[in-house]
């Protein structure tokens, strides 16, 4: 075993988390406070690795709670974040990227990375399916894992969220993607993409599209309640009137069997049962508020599950591990082995509440150590306080 010691100095986000650690334990263990007419909604966020699930979760929460990095599989297990707005509590279920058992085996991923998205679905009232529209390889179809998940839980209302629209120059492509990812059906209605829009090159240079909704959220409370109560789809997908794609998507009632009853998974590219479509850029927060307002309106009367003082169900240790892993993934040039084991060596609170945390990163192979600390085996290692022979290095 080789160990790499990594020191983390003061971290503003950590300060607050840990200053409140004891209080958080107390809040998690006791009955949550309740407003007069509490409402609640559990929102699962699923999608392929790197689609931006944790970035979106953090934006919805208004705080950095979940780890984010440009490398895949940053999220290793499910975690919950809590949003409170007036009498409504949204519980955000962030999940690891959906992956196949074969890939999980090949990359030696934890079992939680395979199981947790499914576990979160079991508890969800609504599911957001995130698609990275900047990824040319994956954006045209939902992965088999995502489709399997949706098929397994067809009763959970699903919402398609096209993320990273800031990276798409030709905005008309988004309309084509919507058609493919929904199999041309949204909310029980067929989509028709206007031919004027489909090849309108003028739209390519314009600003990112607005959120895809039939009417402004504030007018929709009644409509969405009706939709949930009767399961009778009335609304279609159109685009916001301020969008450069206005009127390009029109809808028409679907005849015949319900599209959700189709079972030929292998031949499916999209999911014809999405209730809504949103287009946003989670990184900049663009249009995230519109999605948040929509979610708040979907909440149903019911007791809050968390005390209003709780931001996440993660323990301080989990938050610390996540932040350190996030930094390793973000700053090291190579893929980081999944088998890295984090062991906390020092955990000290300073006089003004700041924390000094040191972790040993324990890896099973020397080659892994070189990935984590490229200087460890270089001739100048000693000057960097690294020593492969002792098995400990200070980054
Ligand atoms: N340009 C751009 N980048 C984004 C956006 N949303 C997320 N990203 C970036 O995409 C990368 C992956 O984001 P994450 O939030 O870690 O993705 P994830 O789906 O949680 O990833 P996994 O943990 O692998 O499942 C990060 O580098 C983010 O900064 C966006 O709207 N625009």
């Amino acid at each position: 075993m080789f160990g790499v010691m990594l020191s983390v100095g003061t971290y503003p986000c950590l300060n607050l988390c840990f200053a409140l650690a004891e209080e958080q334990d107390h809040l998690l263990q006791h009955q949550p406070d309740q407003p007069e007419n509490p409402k609640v909604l559990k929102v699962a966020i699923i999608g392929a690795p790197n689609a931006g699930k944790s970035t979106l979760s953090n934006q919805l929460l208004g705080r950095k709670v979940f780890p984010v990095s440009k490398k895949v599989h940053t999220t290793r297990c499910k975690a919950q974040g809590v949003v409170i707005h007036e009498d409504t509590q949204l519980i955000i279920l962030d999940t690891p990227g959906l992956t196949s058992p074969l890939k999980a085996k090949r990359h030696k991923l934890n079992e939680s990375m395979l199981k947790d998205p499914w576990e979160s679905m079991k508890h969800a009232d609504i599911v957001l399916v995130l698609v990275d529209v900047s990824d040319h390889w994956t954006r045209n179809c939902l992965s088999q894992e995502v489709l399997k998940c949706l098929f397994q839980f067809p009763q959970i209302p699903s919402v398609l969220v096209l993320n990273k629209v800031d990276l798409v120059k030709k905005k008309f492509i988004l309309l084509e993607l919507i058609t493919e990812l929904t199999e041309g059906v949204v909310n029980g209605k067929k989509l028709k993409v206007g031919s004027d829009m489909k090849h309108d090159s003028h739209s390519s240079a314009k600003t990112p599209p607005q959120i895809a909704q039939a009417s402004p959220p504030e007018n929709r409370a009644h409509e969405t309640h009706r939709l949930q109560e009767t399961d009778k789809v009335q609304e279609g997908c159109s685009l916001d009137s301020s969008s450069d794609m206005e009127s390009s998507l029109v809808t028409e009632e679907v005849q015949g069997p319900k599209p959700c009853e189709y079972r030929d998974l292998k031949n499916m590219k999209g999911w014809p049962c999405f209730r809504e479509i949103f287009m946003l850029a989670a990184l900049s927060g663009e249009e995230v508020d519109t999605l948040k307002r929509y979610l708040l309106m979907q909440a149903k009367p019911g007791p809050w599950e968390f005390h209003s003082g709780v931001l996440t169900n993660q323990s301080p240790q989990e938050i610390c591990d996540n932040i350190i892993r996030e930094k390793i993934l973000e700053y090291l040039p190579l893929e980081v082995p999944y088998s890295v084991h984090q062991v906390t060596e020092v955990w000290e609170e300073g006089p003004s509440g700041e924390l000094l945390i040191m972790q040993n990163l324990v890896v099973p192979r020397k080659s892994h150590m070189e990935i984590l600390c490229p200087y460890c085996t270089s001739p100048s290692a000693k000057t960097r306080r690294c020593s492969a022979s002792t098995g400990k290095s200070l980054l």
Side-chain angles (χ1 to χ4, degrees), residues 290-310:
T290 322
L291 173 63
K292 191 167 168 177
R293 282 200 298 276
Y294 169 78
L295 294 173
L296 287 167
M297 278 193 307
Q298 307 306 309
K300 300 258 183 62
W304 285 6
E305 293 201 4
F306 290 98
H307 190 281
S308 54
V310 174

Side-chain angles (χ1 to χ4, degrees), residues 50-55 69-70 73-75 97 163-164 166 281-283:
N50 232 30
K53 299 176 292 298
S54 301
T55 310
S69 89
K70 55 180 181 272
H73 297 308
T74 306
T75 305
N163 187 31
K164 308 194 191 181
D166 55 308
L283 188 61

Side-chain angles (χ1 to χ4, degrees), residues 50-52 130-136 138-139 161 163-164 167:
N50 232 30
L130 220 63
V131 174
D132 174 355
V133 291
S134 71
D135 187 333
H136 294 241
T138 61
R139 67 183 184 185
V161 179
N163 187 31
K164 308 194 191 181
L167 297 177

Side-chain angles (χ1 to χ4, degrees), residues 79-97:
Q80 302 183 0
V82 184
V83 178
I84 305 255
H85 180 76
E86 296 171 355
D87 55 3
T88 302
Q89 184 165 82
L90 296 181
I91 301 168
I92 310 292
L93 314 171
D94 189 25
T95 63

Side-chain angles (χ1 to χ4, degrees), residues 58-69:
N58 288 336
Q59 286 285 4
L60 289 168
L61 291 161
R63 291 277 293 276
K64 174 73 182 290
V65 171
F66 301 118
V68 168
S69 89

